[in-house]
Structures are given as C-alpha cells and as structure tokens.
C-alpha cells in the first residue's frame, strides 16, 4: 500500500541550500585557484546576512528566506574554504617535474578497494606521502589514483589501509578530480604493509567470502560478494557486461538499502535488550560505521551512511525527518567534508536514484494504477523512476540505453535483499567455517537468479540501444524521460490539464522513439550504407583497446578484439562483416582479447603472440576448439590476405628478450590489394621499438601506422620519424584512465606531418586507397581528409 506524497515547505527548505552548496563545490574544484576568493566572498555574504537579520522585524516568511540565504552562503563558504586550504599542497604536487614519462616512485596509503577495470588492470585511490623523481624525494600529502596490472602487485594484501610503493610514471589528473596525480605503475606496486587493525580484519572477511563463494557454480558465485559487500573482483567480464546491458549494476554498488538494513537491525537489537533511545542510536551508528569500513567508503556508501546518520540524529532528537530533507542534509554534510564528491558520477547517480524514489516513484505508481493492479504498479514504479533519473547521466559513460532495464529489475529485484542479507551474514560468519559455508550456499541461490536474469535480458534483441553521446545525449534522454513521466503521472491540475499535458508529451515521445528506431536501423540493417563501401582499413571504436580490420578482395583480417564483445559486435555489424578469415591477437592483455566472444566460431586462422600464462594458453585452446587453426606469430611469418601480402616483423623468432606482455606484441606489416602500406605496432614500448628498428627488417616508410599502446608517452620518436606515416591511427578510449594519447606522442606525430585519426574523438575510422593517396573517413568529430 502506498500513500500520496506531499512535500511540505519545511521538507524543502534544505533543497536550495543543498543545490547552492553543490554548485559551489563544482565551481571550487574546477577552478581551485579562485577558491580562496570565492570563500572570502561567501563568508562576507554570510556575515552580512547575519548582520542584516539582527536589525528590524520581519515576517515569518522573510525570516525563513533569510535563514536559507545565510545557511547557503555559510555552507558554500565552508566548501570553498576546504578547497582553498587543500590547494597549496595540490599545487606543490603538480609542480613536480613529471614530463617525458619520467620514472617515479610514489609512497601512499590505499583509501579504496582495488577494482578491476575493463582492461584487466587494478585501479584504486590512495593518499600519497612522498614521490621520488630521479634522485629527488619530494614530500606530498595529496590524493592520487593508481593503476596497475594485477600480476604486478607484490609482497602482500592490496586493500583499504595498505601502505604501498607504486613504481612507474605519473601525470596530472583532470580538472575536478579528487586525485591530484594519476600514477601508472608499469613497474609494479609493492605492498609495504597490509591493512592494519580493523581494516585488516574487514579485508580478510571480504577475502574469505570471495574464497568461500568461489567453490560454488559460476556466474552466481562471482556475483555474490558484490551483492553482499560490494566486492566485485570475482565478477566475470561477460557477466559484468550483462549486468550493464540489463541495468543491474546498481545491485553490486552498496547503498541506501544495505545501510538501512544494518541500521535497522542494530537499532532493533538494542531495543530488544531494553536500551534507552540514546544507546539504541549509538549502537546503530557504530554498526553503520563498521559496515562502511567493511564495504569500503565509496561515494554511494558515504551518501547512504550520511543519510542514515542524519536519520538516527532525528530519532535521537525525537523528530522524524522527511526523506527529502534527510537526503539534502546528507548531501550538504558530504560536500563540506569532501567537495570533490560533487563531480563524482557515482555520488551523483546515488543522489539522483534516492531523489527519484522519494519524489518520482509515488506519482508514477499512482499513474500506473490506471492500467494495472496496484501491486504491479508499485513494483514497476521503483525501477522506472530510478532509470528515468539516472539514465541521462549514464549516457556520459556509455552512449547506450538498456532497453529492458526496468523488466530486469522487476525480475531480479526480489532476490537482491535476500542475497544481500544472507551474504552479509556469511561474510561476518567467516570465523565459523561451517556456518559461513551454509550461509554462502544459501546466498548463492538468489545470486544465481540475478546472474541468470542479467544474462537472459542481455541476450534479448537490441538489449543496448545506441544513443547520442555527450551532453546532447544527456539532454535528449532527460527530455524523453520527462515526457514519459508526464504521460504516466497525473499532474494534479485536473482532467483537462492532464489530457493536454499527456498529448504534448506523447508527441515528444513519438518523435524520440522515431529517432531511436532510426539509430537502431543505422547500426543494424542500414549501418553499412553509412560507411564508405570501398574501405580497406577500419579502426573500430571499442573503447580503450585495439580492434582494426583489414580487407582485400573480400578477405578480412581482424587485429585484436578490444576489451569487451559488445562494441566489436556493433562495429562488425556496422561495416557488414560476418566471417573473419584471419584473426591476429597481438598479445593477451584484456584490452586486446577481451572481445573474443564476438568472433569465436567465426574465425578461420588465428595468429597470436607468445602465450605467457595458463590463461593465455586456454584462450588459444578455446579458439582451436571452436574450429580455428592457430599459429604462434614471430618475425618472418607471412601470408596472403586476398591480393595483399602480410608479414610479421616482431617478436623475434629466437631469444628470450621482449617475449611477454606489451613488448611481446605481434607487429604486422601489410600492403597491396588495395591496402596502403601499413604497420601495426601493437603495444610496444620505446625499448622494444628501438630493438625493432635496430633489427633492420622494416621498410623505409609506411603510409599508415597504428600507433603503439594507444598513444602512450613510452614511444621511440626516431622510429616514427623513420616510418614517416601519412596517417597515424590512434586506437584509444574516451576519457581513459591513462591520459592516452599523451601530448608527447601527439607532438611527435605532429612534427612529422601525419594526419592523426583517433577513435576516441572520431569513432569508427575507415581508410581507402586510391590514385591520390589514402582517404580518411571519420564517423564523427571531423570532416573527411587525405593523408
């Protein structure tokens, strides 16, 4: 049963304060040099408002407005002051000379759990205490973000509270990021000391849950720790893609529901023991703090914990706060304590989802009862409200819309609380093995149901609709969501007004649906009609990874598969390809082989780099089992692709140097049959590039070069000067964690006069060879051109 929600003036008084505070946080963190002046101005305004309030009588409404104004100014001033006081240390860190990819050692304490990114690397935040550049050691006290390959972590447990030394290169983070530096630990992360005290205990508990669940059938086993304590390290990449396609990833982001369960249980337990109200609240707050440490303080968890703490304060004072007021208070408290949260996508999505549940779900439920029973309307209104609110922002990360997201949430929703509650109990029961095993097995059942739902929904036709990317896409989807809400929810202005509003909103919906259907057609049946038909090279936009197609006389080669299957599938559909005659896996990093599921069973021959692990060999065996012939590539191996000739230039056929990872990448040269003279450099570092150049097997020049390692700074400028390409292909993801392509590399390419084509800015790129040279076609961002 639900009730009509009315928001009183008392409930909404914190809304403008929260909005102003949030706007100030964004202004301060994106323009930190002005934060001091902004803080001084706001403090002056707040003091002036107090002085004004001390003189003269005012109406009740006037006093209320003045209180809101003064609080808005004062809290905004606190936010700006926080940024201003942090700025000297941040500027000192940015003043360290890091140009040219200089080697650095950063000593830091980990502040978040390490999460696996789509490229198979670990990413975590830390508070740095010092940085060593060359022979100079510089004390620091700033947050940093660190990326490292999982196999490069040594000597201990990498988790919240661990003291580490990250060795590699560093660069300045983007404006507005809480992290001051991005550290790429190419030389590994050494764990100096594991998580201390209670942090070590909670880390062990999470690890025991992951280990205990691993003996159960996949994919539910890997999902269980994510549902219970937000630990997603064991979630399989394919399931992660399915969760995204079905809009179920929020189930592994610990948030308000989990905090409510913990607080409610602790409060009830204390009450059952006869404790007074103050003691009950204290027990609940302590339990909440322990839970936050257990799951690690992510933005959504902090928001939910702050809401729960403010709610507990209201209980202590005997004043039950309205949901919207509690949400606004939580936002204000968090932004004052950490202004950089204002620009965090996770924090924004969490606040939007909670606000949608409070404000949008009730009217949607009332409107839906016109067409369906009340119970179904209630079940549908919650996921619909959160999808309408959060969908537009998610477009900034991935320009797609999960078509069946609401359906997936309705089917999976009932299982989520059971998996969360029982899984949390299993985690806490780790010291009692038999109890932990029993609870883990029980929690696996709802977890397996959710995983099966995600996979089933992701497999439906057009599970992910293509969408306009960037802010235009945000505006379009927000307008669509608003129109849908107006069609469903009554306005409260009478039947005639509702009819007019629905008529206008219905026209907007119909127009948008037409646009979306057109986009689907372009990606599917009509997709090849929008791409030049005579292309010989196509660089697919697969994010931060490689997937380059070569075609001669209808025979097709694919060089790498990108990090996940979906973008590669979309690209192959867009250019109208089915069979892959030659697949070259330059090496086995996830951003080069993660999309294999898109082509398994559709490949004739596979040429691969040297396998360095059992996992690499298993990939080769799976391709062979699917009917492909597999050959390990080395310098001198060659063949025909239609009328074109290809030859591998690297790695060396003999010797043990440069045999693994990026430096073991297969480098392929190809020409003829309509394909311009092309060299694809894999992920070679500068050292391997110099060795390749020294071997003397390369041609004097190439018309097209695929730039090594997504345009990282680790390049041999002399090699590119000798190759002198007319066109430089940079396969790179939008807003990637590494700052690729780096300015140093772009400067090298600019100095030799190469036409630069980038998948992050230009999307799909095709190249066509004719008598006038190489013609470059870009999907977006630039006009066609020649190299």
């Amino acid at each position: 049963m639900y009730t009509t929600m009315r928001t009183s003036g008392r409930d909404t008084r914190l809304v403008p304060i929260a909005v102003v505070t949030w706007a100030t946080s964004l202004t301060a963190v994106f323009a930190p040099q002005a934060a001091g002046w902004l803080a001084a101005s706001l403090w002056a305004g707040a003091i002036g408002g107090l002085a004004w309030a001390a003189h003269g009588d005012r109406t009740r409404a006037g006093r209320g407005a003045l209180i809101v104004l003064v609080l808005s100014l004062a809290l905004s001033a606190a936010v700006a002051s926080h940024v201003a006081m942090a700025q000297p240390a941040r500027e000192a860190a940015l003043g360290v000379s890091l140009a040219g990819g200089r080697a650095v050692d950063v000593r830091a304490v980990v502040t978040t759990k390490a999460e696996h990114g789509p490229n198979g690397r670990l990413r975590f935040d830390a508070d740095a205490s010092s940085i060593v550049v060359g022979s100079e050691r510089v004390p620091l006290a700033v947050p940093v973000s660190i990326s490292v390959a999982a196999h490069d972590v040594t000597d201990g447990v990498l988790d919240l509270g661990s003291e580490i030394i990250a060795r590699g290169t560093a660069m300045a983070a983007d404006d507005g990021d809480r992290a001051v530096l991005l550290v790429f630990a190419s030389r590994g992360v050494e764990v100096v000391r594991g998580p201390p005290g209670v942090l070590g205990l909670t880390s062990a508990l999470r690890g025991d849950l992951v280990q205990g669940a691993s003996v159960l059938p996949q994919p539910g086993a890997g999902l269980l720790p994510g549902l219970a304590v937000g630990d997603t390290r064991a979630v399989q990449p394919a399931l992660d893609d399915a969760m995204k396609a079905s809009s179920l990833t929020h189930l592994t982001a610990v948030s308000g529901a989990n905090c409510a369960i913990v607080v409610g249980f602790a409060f009830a337990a204390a009450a059952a023991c006869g404790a007074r109200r103050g003691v009950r609240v204290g027990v609940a707050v302590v339990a909440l703090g322990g839970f936050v440490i257990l799951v690690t303080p992510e933005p959504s968890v902090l928001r939910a914990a702050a809401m729960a703490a403010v709610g507990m304060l209201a209980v202590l004072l005997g004043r039950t706060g309205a949901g919207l007021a509690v949400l606004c208070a939580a936002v204000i408290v968090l932004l004052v304590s950490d202004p950089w949260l204002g620009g965090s996508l996770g924090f924004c999505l969490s606040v939007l989802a909670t606000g949608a549940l409070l404000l949008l779900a009730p009217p949607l439920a009332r409107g839906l009862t016109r067409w369906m029973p009340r119970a179904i309307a209630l079940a549908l209104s919650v996921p619909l409200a959160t999808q309408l609110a959060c969908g537009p922002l998610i477009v900034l990360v991935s320009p797609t819309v999960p078509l069946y997201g609401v359906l997936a949430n309705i089917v999976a929703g009932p299982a989520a609380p059971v998996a969360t509650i029982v899984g949390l109990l299993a985690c806490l029961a780790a010291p009692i093995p038999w109890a932990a095993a029993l609870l883990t097995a029980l929690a696996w059942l709802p977890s397996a149901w959710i995983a099966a739902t995600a996979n089933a929904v992701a497999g439906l036709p057009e599970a992910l609709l293509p969408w306009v990317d960037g802010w235009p896409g945000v505006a379009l989807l927000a307008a669509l969501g608003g129109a849908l809400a107006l069609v469903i929810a009554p306005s409260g202005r009478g039947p005639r007004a509702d009819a007019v509003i629905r008529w206008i909103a219905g026209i907007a919906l119909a127009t948008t649906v037409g646009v979306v259907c057109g986009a689907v057609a372009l990606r599917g049946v009509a997709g090849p009609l929008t791409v030049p038909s005579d292309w010989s090279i196509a660089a697919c936009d697969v994010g931060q990874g490689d997937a380059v197609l070569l075609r001669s006389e209808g025979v097709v080669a694919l060089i790498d598969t990108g990090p996940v299957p979906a973008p590669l599938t979309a690209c192959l559909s867009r250019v109208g390809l089915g069979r892959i005659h030659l697949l070259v896996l330059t090496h086995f990093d996830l951003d080069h082989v993660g999309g294999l599921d898109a082509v398994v069973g559709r490949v004739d021959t596979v040429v691969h780099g040297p396998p360095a692990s059992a996992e690499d060999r298993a990939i080769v065996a799976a391709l062979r089992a699917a009917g492909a012939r597999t050959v390990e590539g080395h310098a001198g191996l060659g063949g025909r692709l239609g009328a074109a000739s290809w030859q591998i230039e690297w790695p060396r056929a003999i010797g043990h140097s440069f045999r693994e990872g990026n430096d073991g990448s297969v480098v392929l040269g190809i020409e003829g049959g309509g394909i311009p003279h092309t060299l694809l450099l894999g992920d070679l570092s500068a050292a391997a590039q110099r060795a390749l150049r020294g071997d003397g097997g390369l041609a004097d020049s190439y018309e097209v070069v695929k730039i090594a390692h997504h345009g990282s700074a680790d390049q041999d400028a002399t090699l590119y000067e000798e190759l002198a390409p007319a066109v430089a292909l940079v396969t790179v993801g939008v807003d990637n964690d590494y700052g690729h392509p780096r300015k140093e590399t772009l400067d090298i390419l600019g100095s030799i006069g190469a036409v630069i084509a980038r998948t992050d800015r230009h999307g799909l790129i095709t190249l066509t060879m004719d008598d006038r040279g190489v013609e470059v076609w870009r999907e977006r961002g630039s006009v066609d051109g020649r190299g």
Side-chain angles (χ1 to χ4, degrees):
M1 182 176 181
Y2 65 87
T3 59
T4 300
M5 185 175 195
R6 292 183 173 86
T7 305
S8 67
R10 185 179 297 273
D11 297 336
T12 59
R13 285 189 299 184
L14 285 179
V15 172
I17 300 175
V19 169
V20 172
T21 305
W22 202 329
T24 303
S25 75
L26 291 173
T27 302
V29 299
F30 279 97
Q33 296 81 5
W37 292 102
L38 180 61
S41 301
L42 291 169
W43 281 122
I47 294 170
L50 286 174
W52 186 23
H55 294 81
D57 296 330
R58 288 176 179 80
T59 64
R60 182 176 180 180
R63 290 195 299 272
L66 188 57
I67 291 172
V68 169
L69 175 63
V70 171
L71 285 176
S72 298
L73 292 171
L75 290 166
S76 296
V79 168
S81 298
H82 186 152
V83 176
M85 287 187 291
Q87 190 57 18
R90 296 171 71 89
E91 288 181 346
L94 293 173
V96 177
S97 177
L98 302 172
R102 297 185 66 185
V104 300
D105 290 0
V106 177
R107 194 177 192 98
V109 174
V110 179
T111 55
T112 64
K113 62 176 177 285
E115 295 189 329
H116 288 270
N119 55 3
R121 295 176 67 84
L122 295 174
R123 170 82 181 269
F124 58 93
D125 294 338
D127 286 339
S129 57
S130 67
I131 182 170
V132 176
V133 183
S135 60
E136 180 184 9
R137 181 182 181 277
V138 181
L140 293 179
V142 295
V144 297
S145 183
I146 300 174
S147 172
V148 63
H151 56 77
D152 286 338
V153 178
T154 59
D155 298 336
V157 176
L158 179 64
D159 209 335
L160 180 69
S162 297
E163 186 177 352
I164 57 100
I165 299 176
R167 298 183 172 92
T169 60
M171 64 177 292
D174 292 336
D175 293 338
D177 284 358
R178 184 176 185 275
V180 179
L181 298 176
L182 302 179
V183 180
F184 311 107
S186 56
R187 294 183 291 119
V189 167
E190 176 190 351
V191 179
V192 178
R193 174 182 55 80
V198 68
L199 295 178
L201 173 62
T202 56
S203 176
L205 290 175
R206 291 194 301 273
D208 287 344
L209 179 61
V210 173
Q211 182 63 33
S214 66
V215 301
L216 298 170
Q218 293 289 358
L223 184 62
L224 174 56
L227 297 170
V229 293
D231 193 321
T232 58
R233 75 181 92 167
V235 176
Q236 297 174 332
L239 178 60
D240 185 54
D241 291 339
M243 295 285 284
K244 292 174 182 175
S246 56
S247 194
L248 292 176
T249 51
H250 66 93
L251 297 180
T252 57
V254 179
S255 57
N258 309 75
C259 290
I261 291 170
V262 171
V263 168
F265 180 82
F267 192 86
C273 295
R276 295 181 301 172
R277 184 169 60 187
V279 175
R280 287 180 242 164
V281 171
V283 169
V285 170
V286 170
L288 177 63
F291 178 70
V292 169
I293 294 173
L294 175 63
V295 301
T296 73
E298 304 297 328
S300 61
V301 179
L302 291 173
R303 189 272 313 157
M307 278 195 69
V310 173
M312 284 293 97
L313 179 61
V315 171
L316 181 62
L317 298 175
R319 299 176 61 184
T320 304
L324 182 60
V326 173
L327 174 62
C328 291
V331 168
I332 293 167
V333 169
L334 288 171
L335 290 176
V336 171
S337 62
D338 185 358
W340 291 270
L341 278 178
S344 163
L345 183 62
F347 180 74
C348 295
L349 290 173
S350 181
V351 174
L352 281 175
T354 304
L357 294 177
L358 294 172
L359 301 177
L360 187 55
L364 287 177
R366 293 196 299 273
L368 289 170
T369 53
R370 298 196 304 271
W371 305 299
M372 61 188 69
R374 178 174 296 179
I376 297 177
L378 281 172
L380 184 60
S381 64
V382 171
L384 180 58
T386 53
Q387 183 125 336
L388 291 179
C390 298
L393 271 188
I394 295 175
V395 167
L396 288 175
V397 179
S398 175
T400 55
V401 176
L403 183 59
Y404 310 107
V406 174
L407 171 65
N409 276 275
I410 291 174
V411 175
V418 180
T420 299
I421 295 170
V422 181
L424 178 60
L425 292 175
C427 182
L428 296 175
I432 310 173
W434 66 266
L438 175 61
L439 290 168
T440 301
L442 292 175
W444 174 86
L445 294 172
S447 177
W449 172 261
I450 294 171
T453 300
N455 285 323
V457 170
L460 295 175
E462 297 299 338
L464 280 176
L465 287 178
W467 202 257
V468 180
D469 60 352
W471 288 106
V474 173
L476 180 61
L477 191 56
L480 175 63
L484 181 60
L486 289 173
V487 169
I488 296 174
S491 67
R493 298 178 180 178
R496 180 173 297 180
D498 282 351
V500 172
I501 291 172
R502 290 194 188 105
W503 184 76
I504 296 173
I507 293 175
L509 272 175
T511 302
T512 306
V513 168
V515 172
V516 171
C517 290
V520 173
L522 286 176
R523 190 180 70 168
V525 177
L529 301 178
T530 66
V531 178
S533 60
D534 55 350
W535 63 267
S536 58
I537 301 176
C540 294
D541 180 12
V542 292
Q544 183 69 4
D546 278 10
V548 178
L549 293 161
L550 307 170
R551 184 176 65 176
S552 174
E553 296 186 342
V555 183
V556 176
L558 172 63
I559 316 302
D560 292 325
T561 67
V564 291
L568 179 58
T569 300
C571 180
L572 294 175
S573 175
R574 180 78 186 277
V575 298
L577 292 181
R579 195 73 187 170
I580 303 297
H581 302 92
L582 172 65
L583 172 64
V584 178
L585 300 178
T586 60
H587 59 301
F588 291 90
D589 283 357
L590 190 64
D591 55 334
H592 294 256
V593 301
L596 267 175
D597 286 348
V599 294
V600 168
R602 301 164 59 186
V603 177
D604 294 337
T605 301
V606 177
V607 174
H608 58 84
S613 66
E615 291 82 359
D616 299 347
R617 289 186 285 275
I619 290 173
V620 176
L623 287 165
R624 192 181 304 116
R629 182 174 71 94
T630 61
V631 180
E632 182 172 334
H634 56 77
L637 181 68
R640 304 286 295 179
L641 184 77
S645 299
W646 61 266
Q647 179 170 305
I648 294 177
E649 308 291 355
W650 187 268
R652 295 162 173 158
I654 58 175
H656 298 287
S657 60
F658 303 113
R659 296 292 295 176
E660 296 183 1
N662 290 345
D663 286 343
S665 295
V666 169
V667 173
L668 183 77
I670 188 168
E671 66 176 325
I675 298 178
H677 199 184
T678 299
L679 187 69
L680 299 105
L681 287 170
D683 274 3
L684 295 192
S685 69
Q689 291 173 30
R690 285 190 290 270
L692 171 64
R693 175 165 54 87
D695 284 353
L698 298 179
D700 292 337
S701 65
Y702 289 84
E703 292 163 298
V704 179
V705 170
K706 199 287 295 184
I707 305 306
H709 202 194
H710 322 292
S712 75
D714 193 11
Q715 308 283 347
D716 176 31
T718 304
L719 174 65
Y720 291 102
E721 291 168 1
E722 292 181 357
L723 297 177
V727 178
L729 284 179
V730 185
T731 49
V732 62
V734 176
D735 296 330
N736 60 86
D737 295 340
Y738 312 99
H740 295 164
R742 295 287 287 269
K743 181 179 182 299
E744 301 94 319
T745 301
L746 295 177
D747 289 343
I748 293 171
L749 299 176
S751 69
I752 60 177
V755 172
I756 301 173
R758 305 167 45 169
T759 53
D760 60 339
R761 293 186 177 178
H762 303 142
L764 173 65
I765 300 163
T766 68
L767 278 63
T768 304
M769 185 72 173
D770 60 25
D771 294 338
R772 296 176 294 169
V774 181
E775 182 176 357
V776 182
W777 178 87
R778 300 168 175 88
E779 180 182 17
R780 62 176 184 268
S782 179
V783 298
D784 297 352
R786 287 189 175 273

